[in-house]
Amino acid sequence: MNVAISSQVSMPDPFFAQQWQSGEHQLVCVEKWNETHDVMSFRFQGTEPVKFHFKPGQFLTLLLEINGEKIGRSYTISSSPSRPYSIVLTVKRIAGGKVSNYLADHLEVGHVVRALGPDGVFNLVDITAQKYLFLSAGCGITPMFSMSRWLTDTEIGPDISFLHSAKTNNDLIFEAAIAQMAERSGNFKLNYILEELGIFANVGISAKFTDKQAGRLNAENLARLVPDFKARTVFVCGPEPYMNAVKALLESLDFDMSKFHQESFGSFKGDSAELDAAKEQAANHTTDTSDFMLSIGDRNRTLSAEQTLLDGIEAEGLPIIAACRSGVCGACKCKVVAGEVESSSQMALTADEIAAGYVLACSSKLKSDVTLEL
């Protein structure tokens, strides 16, 4: 596999570190390790001395080139800004996944990658609470781990109930580290729901501090494991079917949904074969029903009212990073110079950027002829 990756560089001296700012960055991998049989973590530092400043729960978008193809993928930061001299991304291998398998097999200590961010409103700064309920499944545990680390590092006795769902005991990510947090914080209650509860499931470092239950999350085990769940602010992350099921469950239990918050990458979070299929579909989209003209520099392309700006940009083969394709990561930000668009998401844009005409290409459709600036 041909990959664009820089050679080894010397490690930065943290004593001279500057504060990390949002934007594009050069990161050097300083450590990698297995979390489970199919999940790996990568620790990064800046190629120049830097203190990483981000909100617990936010994500980075890696900008990669694999076999000559430019690809962006967004991954939640699993480390905490309370430990600012490095940053950790945790990635699950996906069968046939172009990026997850590339990272696991080819990204080594000393290699340099480009990254964009941090981004994301699913975090503990933009969403405040007094009592927390973290509900996660699979790799959805990564923002909850970052949030938990932040709270236990910066507060005395934060009130956290952490309920994670996984397939088996061997699929538990960060198990030992989370158990240590629970051990040291009297108001930290940790529980697991395992789809397949094996005979040795209650043997291990976390057995003293957690309750492992068989099955799936439902009204009965939620009420038993978190009796005061209605008094808590809920943070949810995991596969989309899991998040949808949790939302429906809480609605059926008359939970105050103003206190419900979920990660919103949608179907394209992380590495996904659907993402590549969507790109191919956009590039091959016919223009027989086109209504408006999209102009970018000397390029002009007609688009229908149902096509996004991203459809037109990719069809023209113009360079753009579109990692999440759901209006969250902000990587496809571009500026409308003339004309009118309708946007379904602006969450990755500041008020000043919106006022200046910036939009997210993946979430914006033409309402007139438009001139765009990338």
Side-chain angles (χ1 to χ4, degrees), residues 79-324:
S79 54
S80 167
S82 55
R83 303 182 180 196
Y85 291 101
S86 65
I87 198 166
V88 178
L89 300 182
T90 300
V91 180
K92 177 181 174 65
R93 280 188 184 267
I94 304 295
K98 185 178 297 183
V99 178
S100 64
N101 289 293
Y102 153 63
L103 293 173
D105 296 334
H106 296 276
L107 180 59
E108 301 295 341
V109 171
H111 287 168
V112 175
V113 298
R114 294 165 58 222
L116 190 67
D119 294 293
V121 297
F122 183 76
N123 63 74
L124 292 189
V125 175
D126 296 321
I127 305 169
T128 59
Q130 297 298 318
K131 300 177 68 174
Y132 304 87
L133 172 53
F134 296 149
L135 298 174
S136 59
C139 262
I141 198 171
T142 52
M144 311 312 188
F145 183 69
S146 176
M147 293 175 179
S148 297
R149 179 71 75 189
W150 167 260
L151 291 170
T152 55
D153 278 352
T154 61
E155 296 185 12
I156 303 299
D159 194 335
I160 302 169
S161 187
F162 197 134
L163 180 53
H164 180 67
S165 298
K167 186 175 181 181
T168 72
N169 210 56
N170 293 329
D171 296 299
L172 295 180
I173 307 169
F174 312 131
E175 183 182 13
I178 299 176
Q180 290 173 347
M181 294 185 214
E183 180 184 12
R184 295 169 181 170
S185 182
N187 293 323
F188 192 135
K189 179 62 175 176
L190 174 62
N191 293 292
Y192 293 104
I193 297 178
L194 303 182
E195 188 175 335
E196 299 176 12
L197 185 62
I199 189 170
F200 299 111
N202 286 313
V203 177
I205 189 169
S206 66
K208 188 176 178 181
F209 317 107
T210 68
D211 185 3
K212 292 183 180 177
Q213 302 291 321
R216 296 190 178 186
L217 181 63
N218 55 40
E220 179 183 355
N221 53 36
L222 176 61
R224 175 165 42 83
L225 297 173
V226 193
D228 64 344
F229 71 90
K230 287 189 176 182
R232 297 179 176 273
T233 300
V234 173
F235 295 78
V236 181
C237 189
E240 192 170 12
Y242 169 82
M243 293 194 293
N244 291 340
V246 171
K247 183 178 181 180
L249 172 62
L250 291 174
E251 287 175 337
S252 73
L253 297 173
D254 296 323
F255 182 78
D256 179 0
M257 298 305 287
S258 68
K259 298 190 298 181
F260 175 89
H261 307 278
Q262 71 178 52
E263 179 61 281
S264 46
F265 278 107
S267 300
F268 297 115
K269 183 181 178 187
D271 201 15
S272 172
E274 293 179 67
L275 181 59
D276 297 321
K279 285 185 67 175
E280 183 176 355
Q281 182 180 16
N284 296 331
H285 202 296
T286 61
T287 59
D288 294 340
T289 59
S290 302
D291 297 320
F292 302 116
M293 180 68 70
L294 175 65
S295 299
I296 308 170
D298 60 354
R299 303 287 189 94
N300 296 287
R301 189 173 189 88
T302 48
L303 296 177
S304 76
E306 295 306 312
Q307 290 179 274
T308 66
L309 297 180
L310 183 59
D311 290 336
I313 294 167
E314 290 186 331
E316 286 296 315
L318 295 171
I320 190 168
I321 296 295
C324 73

